[in-house]
Amino acid sequence: MDIRLSQCFIAVDDHDRAIAFYRDVLGLEVRNDVGFEGMRWVTVGPPSQPDVNIVLEPPLADPNASAADRQAMAELMAKGLLRGVIFATDDCDATFERISAAGAEVLQEPMDQPYGVRDCGFRDPAGNLLRFTQPLGK
């Protein structure tokens, strides 16, 4: 049996700002942009991985959600508590410089970790945690 990652989801509160960040800052390509029942889903992904997709979705992608549930999700997103993604990079320091120069919120500057990677951390425009890792010795 062969199991591979196909899609993961990240909640965003402003798709246009998210596209500008994921496309223009991170260099991901926009693969799909779909609206349905007042909601929007944008699919992005790395050009080098055409079979891996990140779906930028509304914080609560359920048209039947209650106002209280929508408010709770908005509050969790504002605190940066919904989702996170870890990206691999071949140069953590250069990646850090490019993303921080674009004005992203820095959570951690590049540092060597005891579990064998050099990594750094940011928040995207919606507050989601993004980490960028490079295996030590590469």
Side-chain angles (χ1 to χ4, degrees), residues 29-128:
E29 60 188 12
V30 176
R31 298 181 177 159
N32 207 357
D33 191 339
V34 177
F36 180 71
E37 293 190 17
M39 292 180 280
R40 184 177 179 191
W41 290 264
V42 177
T43 303
V44 298
S48 63
Q49 292 180 295
D51 56 343
V52 174
N53 296 290
I54 300 168
V55 180
L56 308 174
E57 67 174 352
L60 190 56
D62 180 351
N64 300 312
S66 70
D69 287 344
R70 290 184 191 283
Q71 180 63 33
M73 289 297 286
E75 290 171 5
L76 289 171
M77 187 165 62
K79 294 177 184 179
L81 297 175
L82 289 185
R83 295 183 174 91
V85 174
I86 299 175
F87 292 93
T89 179
D90 59 358
D91 189 336
C92 182
D93 293 279
T95 300
F96 176 82
E97 291 303 322
R98 186 179 79 241
I99 297 170
S100 61
E105 179 185 350
V106 175
L107 297 177
Q108 176 201 304
E109 294 189 9
M111 64 183 289
D112 294 349
Q113 300 291 355
Y115 42 88
V117 300
R118 182 166 181 80
D119 71 353
C120 60
F122 294 92
R123 291 217 185 275
D124 76 359
N128 297 297

